[in-house]
Amino acid sequence: ETGVTQSPTHLIKTRGQQVTLRCSSQSGHNTVSWYQQALGQGPQFIFQYYREEENGRGNFPPRFSGLQFPNYSSELNVNALELDDSALYLCASSSTANYGYTFGSGTRLTVV
Amino acid sequence: AQTVTQSQPEMSVQEAETVTLSCTYDTSESDYYLFWYKQPPSRQMILVIRQEAYKQQNATENRFSVNFQKAAKSFSLKISDSQLGDAAMYFCAYRYSGAGSYQLTFGKGTKLSVIP
């Protein structure tokens, strides 16, 4: 059973640029969620995708968007990057059959 | 809105001893799940233990157990026989069990150090 994999592991971007982060869900999981974890904080829910549609969103602006593909992998896109977007971005997959979550190791985004 | 509070930013424990991490939460719901996650320097969130609110019995997983007090909205984690590998950030998390609700709400975490 494969876990959740995220790419890249680290990324440095300039303010105003756009970034795409990728996540491969655990086998058998049909739901994927994204979280932002600022330094010294707990993760904050960005949004969730189920069957390729967003079905839940946290308090994040529209410049945070995502996609889920038929194989349940996912992308997180952030436009017009701001310095405060610097954080660890975690992807978690889950199954509607249970309430467990499997997290990836995250992408560390630094905006300069 | 649900909130999760971890009042201990840092804790330390001697190897082989027992430590308890505190967590309180606020919700108006009656059905929900509670979790403790461990985040080592590798950054991956690892599920330690989970509790369904409708279950009165406290969850136990090997050396890890919880003290779930629903009326007090308290959910503490006890680690027995602490090991060096237990050193990590520990996060308490809440999730409403309603249909279509999968959002986890996390506390700010407690950094646990294990002293050899």
Side-chain angles (χ1 to χ4, degrees), chain B residues 7 19 28 32 43 46 50 61 64 70 72-73 75 78 89-90 92 102 111-112 116:
Chain B
S7 59
V19 64
S28 58
Y32 48 87
R43 309 182 317 198
I46 301 167
R50 61 189 177 198
E61 289 286 344
F64 299 88
K70 190 172 184 179
K73 297 180 181 176
F75 183 61
K78 185 171 81 171
M89 285 292 295
Y90 285 81
C92 178
Y102 299 100
K111 183 179 181 181
L112 178 66

Side-chain angles (χ1 to χ4, degrees), chain A residues 9-10 31 35 37 40-43 45 48 55 88 90 94 96 98-108, chain B residues 33 35 37 39 42-47 50-52 55 91 95 100-109:
Chain A
T9 54
H10 295 84
T31 301
Y35 289 81
Q37 186 177 15
Q41 302 294 316
F45 176 71
Q48 175 179 281
N55 71 341
L88 178 67
L90 295 166
S94 58
T96 49
N98 63 65
Y99 53 86
Y101 297 82
T102 302
F103 281 83
S105 296
T107 294
R108 173 74 67 189
Chain B
Y33 306 116
F35 306 84
Y37 279 91
Q39 188 178 41
S42 66
R43 309 182 317 198
Q44 184 180 20
M45 286 282 190
I46 301 167
L47 178 65
R50 61 189 177 198
Q51 174 81 41
E52 296 94 329
K55 290 186 177 179
F91 291 93
R95 192 203 120 188
S101 174
Y102 299 100
Q103 173 182 347
L104 285 170
T105 301
F106 287 87
K108 290 188 175 182

Side-chain angles (χ1 to χ4, degrees), chain B residues 69-80:
Chain B
Q69 301 289 328
K70 190 172 184 179
K73 297 180 181 176
S74 171
F75 183 61
S76 60
L77 173 69
K78 185 171 81 171
I79 306 174
S80 303

Side-chain angles (χ1 to χ4, degrees), chain A residues 51-99:
Chain A
R51 290 187 176 179
E52 304 176 51
E53 291 195 4
E54 183 183 300
N55 71 341
R57 190 176 185 94
N59 189 26
F60 281 81
R63 58 189 186 84
F64 285 79
S65 63
L67 285 172
Q68 186 184 31
F69 301 99
N71 65 355
Y72 303 125
S73 64
S74 176
E75 287 182 354
L76 164 65
N77 298 290
V78 186
N79 293 322
L81 284 166
E82 301 177 359
L83 297 179
D84 285 347
D85 295 333
S86 295
L88 178 67
Y89 288 85
L90 295 166
C91 171
S93 71
S94 58
S95 167
T96 49
N98 63 65
Y99 53 86

Side-chain angles (χ1 to χ4, degrees), chain B residues 11-21 38 62-65 77-88 90 112-116:
Chain B
M11 292 281 285
S12 62
V13 61
Q14 293 278 351
E15 193 175 4
E17 296 296 309
T18 296
V19 64
T20 298
L21 307 184
K38 170 185 177 182
N62 300 316
R63 299 182 295 107
F64 299 88
S65 62
L77 173 69
K78 185 171 81 171
I79 306 174
S80 303
D81 185 25
S82 296
Q83 302 175 358
L84 295 178
D86 295 334
Y90 285 81
L112 178 66
S113 300
V114 180
I115 303 166

